[in-house]
Amino acid sequence: MCMPALQSLSLFPLDNASRVFFVLAVVLLAGCDGQPWNSPYPPQQAGQNILYGSFSERPKHLDPAQSYSSNEAVFTGQVYEPPLQYHFLKRPYQLVPLTATALPQPYYLDREGRRLPDDAAIGDIAESIYEIEIDKGIRFQPHPAFAKNRENRFLYHDLDEADLDGVSSLADFPQTGTRELTAADYVYQIKRLAHPRLNSPIFGLMSEYIVGLGEYAQTLEEAYEQERQQQSAPVLLKLEEFPLKGVEILDRYRYRVRIQGKYPQFQYWLAMPFFAPVPWEADAFYTQPGMPERNITLDWYPIGTGPYMLTVNNPNRQMVLERNPEFHGERYPDAGAPGDKEAGLLKDADRELPLIDKVIYSLEKEAIPYWNKFLQGYYDTSGVSSDSFDQAIQIGSGGDISLTEDMQEKGIELSTAVSTSVYYMGFNMLDPVVGGESESARLLRQAISIVMDYEEFISIFANGRGIPAQSPLPPGIFGHLEGREGMNPYVYEWTQHGPRRKPVEVARELLARAGYPDGRDIETGKPLVLYLDTTGSGPDDSARLNWMRKQFAKLDIQLQIRSTDYNRFQDKMRKGTAQIFQWGWNADYPDPENFLFLLYGKNSKVEHNGENAANYASKEFDALFEQMKNMDNGPERQQKIDSMIEVLRYDAPWVFGFHPKQFMLYHDWYYNAKTNLMANNTLKYRRIDPQLREQKRAAWNQPVVWPLALLVLVLVLAITPAVVGYLRHEKQTAQGMGR
């Protein structure tokens, strides 16, 4: 119906003014498909069951043996399925089966291999035995690694460079296949944790628990080097040919894991992608010549049994998750925590999951464009940045938090939760200036801890959405203490109003005792210059970094900022070349061991490739950690934790930053928005109403056309004399020819 008006323009030659008129006409008619003019999405997506989100930086690892960052879990949590998961709704957090038929209940053996009673003393337990049975009939997502020909031979397991001509992505392989999940796939992945070229971040920790895993890594290293010397092609280790003492396949659907001593936290690990299944076909497919050069790797294209599969990985534009057609049909829970039913969180009870067909994540490097698109309805959920806080949130006189009238009028809703997380500033304990066990370095770290005014930081940059940390343990984790007994006495002093940060004068005295009076080396007279390695480079980061310089300037310390991207930052941390850094930790599981292991010596980043990024090592702390980690919660465990935290406060390998409060906004077409701080696979429970979203997008994005209409009118009036003159000239020419 719209085209004839455009076609009529071709009757006249188009001079420059006419071309402008033509372009404006096209713009005015662009809304003929009924979609808002400013929509960033193609018209064919209108009304579809698609969730829209964003990412700001490409995930570095999607291989479950390597992935350990929250921005990666957004994807790995939807693709991979470990045997256990957290119940979506119930609180406190509760483990439930995912692919397992039931929660595995360990039994214990003594040093002679005799079975012990369930209440045996920790000192008597030599091994904990976990036997895990998985459901039958679960299948992997369609993938070229499983594709076979009529002779039942793999189509893409014997490729060379010539076969990959014209191949640039996984989608360029025309054939796919699938197969049933087996216990062997879980065993294969556990073996991969020890692979010499994967550098799994949990290998150091798991080698202390899984029987024989440390020795297994040495076996694989020797085999790898032997293969590498004999061939130039990428080395494929057939892990099924290398038995692992502590992991055994019992039958097609059952496997056994042997854990040294008692380690009750192991069940939590069974809910993480590290222990999700990886088929041997994945390594056989991806470990072929030419694949890594094309970014066709497990780090780029994961293979799982989960509700979604990653179909597009374009870090410069979009990442797309689509419903896995082979998904085994999990159901939405029919029970939850008190209040969930009243909040509408059980309306989808027993519905087949996932409830959303497709999820499109678009690259958004800046917060403001994302926020504007959220308000226009083009993103379904949003956090609340400092820039948008006042526009979204109002705080009452009693400190109560609610949405502003503008947000309420749009039907936007708010979900809040205190995160089981900690943000901290770390000192590299291998550094000759800020690190080590010397009194000078310790006093320097304590002085910096005092002047880093995180109360002010939370107020300025987080709009009050945080709690200053007194230790690594956030509220809600066993071992965290409130009030005076939970205060860090090296940084705070107790008052009738609660803890108050010590004055700068105290920090300057500590600095002088450290050998740097007024920020100068007492021996050389040179100013003290320290270096902060960071990933911050945007406008928002600039303000925060300037604030940090001011904190150090209170001690006359010059702070130099060394900015880089996150991947290079991770490399510097692994090599131990950073001096001071900022990082955070989200709880993997709700246990104090999961925070205190971040400072355990045998988990250091440089020496063991672990998560102890500060490379802190204390014999006293490590001894207490080893006693505490396997204990059941109770007074004795609390006493151990108190002693450990006292050591940390004195040594100050971290400036304990803050525990954030999480705010999430979502539109009224987005359902089942309950926050689960432990689970990373909650996307399957979310639901949207695409029709309501389309209605509101149309209402919120009505074009303002009168300026364009006025401009068109002006142009029409301007070119009318030219058109009239042209027609008169043509008529006169025709009459002259007629004579």
Side-chain angles (χ1 to χ4, degrees):
M1 296 296 291
C2 297
M3 289 305 296
L6 289 178
Q7 291 171 351
S8 65
L9 292 174
S10 63
L11 297 175
F12 301 103
L14 294 179
D15 58 16
N16 289 338
S18 299
R19 289 190 181 96
V20 173
F21 173 76
F22 177 80
V23 171
L24 288 172
V26 170
V27 171
L28 287 171
L29 292 167
C32 289
D33 60 7
Q35 294 302 301
W37 296 0
N38 63 347
S39 175
Y41 308 120
Q44 58 267 29
Q45 290 182 6
Q48 291 192 20
N49 188 18
I50 300 174
L51 181 70
Y52 295 96
S54 77
F55 66 100
S56 58
E57 194 163 5
R58 178 185 75 82
K60 184 173 183 180
H61 294 299
L62 297 178
D63 184 330
Q66 298 175 285
S67 176
Y68 210 7
S69 292
S70 57
N71 69 320
E72 298 163 355
V74 171
F75 303 98
T76 58
Q78 324 315 322
V79 175
Y80 295 111
E81 288 190 304
L84 306 181
Q85 65 179 340
Y86 290 94
H87 195 285
F88 174 49
L89 299 175
K90 291 184 178 179
R91 303 294 184 271
Y93 294 107
Q94 184 179 120
L95 286 173
V96 295
L98 179 49
T99 61
T101 58
L103 291 179
Q105 299 299 321
Y107 61 88
Y108 307 116
L109 303 178
D110 65 14
R111 289 169 181 79
E112 281 72 43
R114 295 172 300 198
R115 187 157 180 167
L116 294 169
D118 292 344
D119 59 353
I122 292 178
D124 296 335
I125 298 174
E127 290 186 5
S128 302
I129 310 299
Y130 290 81
E131 293 185 357
I132 302 160
E133 181 179 0
I134 64 171
D135 285 320
K136 299 176 183 178
I138 299 174
R139 301 184 70 81
F140 282 100
Q141 68 183 65
H143 195 281
F146 300 119
K148 292 183 178 181
N149 60 20
R150 294 180 179 178
E151 289 75 36
N152 204 35
R153 295 178 180 175
F154 288 103
L155 289 174
Y156 305 122
H157 281 206
D158 191 23
L159 305 176
D160 55 29
E161 286 282 359
D163 295 322
L164 295 177
D165 285 346
V167 173
S168 60
S169 72
L170 199 67
D172 293 325
F173 293 93
Q175 301 296 320
T176 62
T178 182
R179 69 161 172 82
E180 187 183 27
L181 172 70
T182 68
D185 299 312
Y186 284 97
V187 171
Y188 188 85
Q189 165 62 5
I190 295 174
K191 291 180 175 180
R192 294 180 78 248
L193 299 178
H195 194 288
R197 294 300 173 265
L198 291 180
N199 297 315
S200 176
I202 70 163
F203 167 73
L205 178 66
M206 286 299 122
S207 62
E208 297 179 30
Y209 293 110
I210 298 177
V211 173
L213 190 64
E215 295 82 357
Y216 190 71
Q218 297 177 5
T219 300
L220 294 185
E221 177 68 38
E222 293 170 2
Y224 185 91
E225 287 300 320
Q226 184 176 355
E227 291 286 336
R228 191 177 63 84
Q229 293 173 9
Q230 295 175 359
Q231 64 185 57
S232 58
V235 175
L236 172 63
L237 288 179
K238 297 181 179 180
L239 301 183
E240 63 272 17
E241 298 179 0
F242 298 89
L244 172 56
K245 184 178 179 181
V247 185
E248 179 184 0
I249 301 171
L250 300 179
D251 57 37
R252 184 172 179 82
Y253 303 106
R254 294 188 304 134
Y255 64 103
R256 176 187 293 145
V257 182
R258 295 165 53 192
I259 299 296
Q260 298 184 53
K262 183 179 180 181
Y263 183 49
Q265 293 86 1
F266 184 66
Q267 283 213 5
Y268 296 125
W269 287 101
L270 291 176
M272 297 177 63
F274 291 114
F275 289 87
V278 169
W280 68 267
E281 293 94 335
D283 279 344
F285 175 78
Y286 287 126
T287 311
Q288 296 186 87
M291 291 289 200
E293 291 78 6
R294 291 168 170 79
N295 276 331
I296 303 178
T297 66
L298 194 61
D299 244 358
W300 201 272
Y301 295 109
I303 304 177
T305 61
Y308 294 98
M309 52 187 187
L310 185 67
T311 56
V312 176
N313 188 345
N314 181 352
N316 296 318
R317 184 171 176 268
Q318 280 187 344
M319 298 183 73
V320 178
L321 292 168
E322 295 188 57
R323 181 191 290 267
N324 174 10
E326 298 289 341
F327 186 55
H328 50 92
E330 186 183 356
R331 299 282 174 169
Y332 190 95
D334 58 5
D340 283 349
K341 183 176 182 180
E342 293 76 8
L345 290 166
L346 293 178
K347 289 183 178 179
D348 292 313
D350 206 40
R351 284 190 61 181
E352 188 171 343
L353 303 177
L355 300 176
I356 292 172
D357 295 332
K358 188 176 185 178
V359 187
I360 298 177
Y361 295 96
S362 300
L363 179 65
E364 293 283 1
K365 291 188 175 182
E366 302 294 339
I368 293 178
Y370 182 95
W371 174 249
N372 290 334
K373 291 176 185 177
F374 169 72
L375 294 180
Q376 293 167 333
Y378 296 125
Y379 286 123
D380 299 303
T381 66
S382 175
V384 184
S385 69
S386 297
D387 292 328
S388 59
F389 188 87
D390 291 339
Q391 187 179 355
I393 304 296
Q394 57 186 6
I395 302 176
S397 57
D400 54 307
I401 295 173
S402 61
L403 290 171
T404 60
E405 290 185 8
D406 289 343
M407 298 296 106
Q408 294 179 42
E409 288 176 1
K410 281 181 169 285
I412 292 172
E413 299 182 47
L414 171 67
S415 174
T416 65
V418 177
S419 298
T420 50
S421 309
V422 61
Y423 287 109
Y424 64 91
M425 173 186 286
F427 300 100
N428 181 6
M429 297 298 282
L430 302 178
D431 184 80
V433 179
V434 300
E437 299 179 0
S438 69
E439 182 180 12
S440 172
R442 177 178 56 78
L443 293 172
L444 172 60
R445 295 191 297 268
Q446 288 182 356
I448 294 172
S449 297
I450 292 173
V451 297
M452 284 298 298
D453 189 348
Y454 273 99
E455 288 80 4
E456 183 179 89
F457 181 92
I458 293 168
S459 175
I460 295 174
F461 299 107
N463 299 100
R465 292 169 293 167
I467 302 170
Q470 306 291 335
S471 79
L473 300 181
I477 298 295
F478 180 84
H480 173 87
L481 297 176
E482 297 286 349
R484 187 167 191 168
E485 60 181 351
M487 183 189 74
N488 182 354
Y490 298 96
V491 177
Y492 291 86
E493 55 191 14
W494 187 256
T495 72
Q496 61 180 350
H497 302 293
R500 182 178 63 190
R501 190 172 293 271
K502 291 185 176 182
V504 174
E505 290 73 21
V506 175
R508 296 184 72 90
E509 291 175 8
L510 293 175
L511 189 68
R513 288 170 54 195
Y516 303 101
D518 298 322
R520 291 183 174 272
D521 190 312
I522 196 170
E523 296 182 358
T524 66
K526 294 182 178 180
L528 178 59
V529 181
L530 299 179
Y531 299 89
L532 174 73
D533 285 274
T534 179
T535 59
S537 58
D540 294 341
D541 299 307
S542 177
R544 282 189 286 267
L545 295 174
N546 286 334
W547 178 87
M548 293 186 68
R549 289 190 185 97
K550 292 179 180 177
Q551 307 312 299
F552 280 75
K554 295 174 184 177
L555 299 174
D556 297 314
I557 297 175
Q558 299 178 26
L559 182 67
Q560 299 292 323
I561 308 297
R562 300 189 293 204
S563 296
T564 185
D565 62 55
Y566 187 55
N567 292 337
R568 291 187 63 188
F569 172 76
Q570 288 179 301
D571 290 336
K572 294 177 78 170
M573 297 303 296
R574 278 192 293 269
K575 296 174 182 176
T577 57
Q579 186 179 60
I580 305 174
F581 60 94
Q582 288 182 294
W583 224 337
W585 184 259
N586 297 316
D588 294 310
Y589 45 83
D591 190 272
E593 182 262 356
N594 189 233
F595 285 91
L596 296 174
F597 92 129
L598 298 172
L599 291 150
Y600 179 48
K602 294 182 181 178
N603 200 28
S604 67
K605 178 72 70 177
V606 171
E607 187 174 355
H608 301 285
N609 195 36
E611 294 303 320
N612 179 356
N615 302 296
Y616 174 65
S618 163
K619 292 181 180 179
E620 183 180 2
F621 179 88
D622 288 354
L624 288 166
F625 178 82
E626 290 166 2
Q627 297 169 32
M628 178 281 305
K629 61 182 179 180
N630 299 331
M631 296 174 66
D632 296 323
N633 290 343
E636 187 178 355
R637 196 181 198 206
Q638 182 69 60
Q639 185 178 14
K640 299 290 185 186
I641 293 172
D642 292 344
S643 298
M644 294 171 67
I645 290 176
E646 168 59 24
V647 173
L648 293 179
R649 288 169 174 169
Y650 179 76
D651 287 344
W654 287 5
V655 177
F656 304 121
F658 68 101
H659 308 297
K661 292 180 180 178
Q662 187 179 92
F663 283 32
M664 186 184 81
L665 301 176
Y666 56 97
H667 289 288
D668 56 358
W669 59 73
Y670 181 88
Y671 300 94
N672 306 329
K674 185 171 183 176
T675 301
N676 189 312
L677 298 172
M678 290 293 104
N680 54 30
N681 64 340
T682 58
L683 189 58
K684 60 189 175 184
Y685 305 108
R686 313 302 186 188
R687 177 168 59 88
I688 59 170
D689 183 340
Q691 285 69 40
L692 178 60
R693 180 172 62 188
E694 288 300 314
Q695 293 171 13
K696 293 210 167 185
R697 281 180 178 175
W700 295 341
N701 295 279
Q702 289 291 328
V704 181
V705 299
W706 69 263
L708 286 175
L710 180 61
L711 181 58
V712 169
L713 178 61
V714 170
L715 286 173
V716 169
L717 294 175
I719 68 174
T720 295
V723 172
V724 171
Y726 172 78
L727 293 174
R728 183 182 295 115
H729 173 75
E730 289 295 301
K731 182 177 181 180
Q732 292 174 351
T733 302
Q735 290 174 347
M737 293 177 63
R739 297 191 186 97

